[in-house]
Amino acid sequence: MKGILIELKDGGETVRHFKIDWIWYLPKGFVQLTCLSAAVFSLDQIWKKKINREKEENFPKKLKGTRGMIEIRKAHNPGFSMSKLEKYPRLVGFVSIFATGFLFFSLPYFSYTVGDNFLLQKIGTALILGGAGSNTLDRIRDSKVTDYIYIRIGVLKKAIVNLADMAIFLGSLLYLLGFLWKAWKKIT
């Protein structure tokens, strides 16, 4: 097994060197998937912080270029999507932590075990991890999730969401499409 040689130097003189043989080699694409998760997480946290600093009277704001179909609002949700289980914030927090932890460890494992296969599922998992991580941090820190996007179209009129929610939805959709694609390829 390959390893990494580490040398500790003091004033140019090698003091100690050792080889690490147990290092976990990152699979192809894992760094990009991690960056995707981190980008979703970071953008959502930045926007939530900005929304939470604004005064209540500054909302709602119509998003330019959307012909009034999308508004920026300020809402807080102690439950899951559409305020499900809002009366049980501890349960919601526990489930969020458990699910995010599972995703946190499943992404590298999944990337390592399947290699270049299952690209849509890996991208979907990365998006879900970024979104779930952001919402879970809100639940741990504030006992509620900040939502800020209101889309006035069809069934979406009933919900105010955030970037994390959209990443979770898109990631789930990509994962499902990847699964269906693989299943279709097997039967044809």
Side-chain angles (χ1 to χ4, degrees), residues 9 13-14 24 48-49 84 90 94 107 129 137 139-140 143 159:
K9 296 189 176 201
E13 180 182 332
T14 299
W24 181 12
K48 286 175 180 176
K49 190 173 189 177
K84 287 179 177 60
R90 286 185 156 195
F94 174 77
L107 182 61
L129 175 60
L137 177 62
R139 287 189 179 102
I140 292 169
S143 299

Side-chain angles (χ1 to χ4, degrees), residues 48-118:
K48 286 175 180 176
K49 190 173 189 177
K50 184 175 172 134
I51 295 293
N52 284 328
R53 286 183 176 169
E54 288 269 345
K55 295 178 182 174
E56 292 287 338
E57 59 265 11
N58 293 340
F59 296 99
K61 299 177 183 180
K62 295 199 185 304
L63 197 60
K64 294 176 184 174
T66 64
R67 292 185 264 144
M69 299 300 280
I70 301 175
E71 293 179 354
I72 303 299
R73 295 188 175 189
K74 184 178 188 177
H76 295 98
N77 181 3
F80 287 121
S81 178
M82 306 291 283
S83 297
K84 287 179 177 60
L85 298 175
E86 68 181 335
K87 294 180 182 177
Y88 306 99
R90 286 185 156 195
L91 175 64
V92 170
F94 174 77
V95 171
S96 295
I97 292 168
F98 178 77
T100 303
F102 176 79
L103 287 167
F104 181 78
F105 289 106
S106 71
L107 182 61
Y109 177 78
F110 190 43
S111 296
Y112 186 75
T113 56
V114 300
D116 293 339
N117 298 320
F118 300 94

Side-chain angles (χ1 to χ4, degrees), residues 27 57 60 104 107 122 124 145 158 161 184:
E57 59 265 11
F104 181 78
L107 182 61
K122 290 191 290 188
V145 174
K158 297 179 181 179
V161 297
W184 182 76

Side-chain angles (χ1 to χ4, degrees), residues 135-155:
N135 282 345
T136 299
L137 177 62
D138 283 0
R139 287 189 179 102
I140 292 169
R141 186 183 54 218
D142 307 323
S143 299
K144 59 191 174 204
V145 174
T146 301
D147 292 324
Y148 48 85
I149 301 171
Y150 176 63
I151 304 172
R152 299 171 46 174
I153 301 172
V155 295

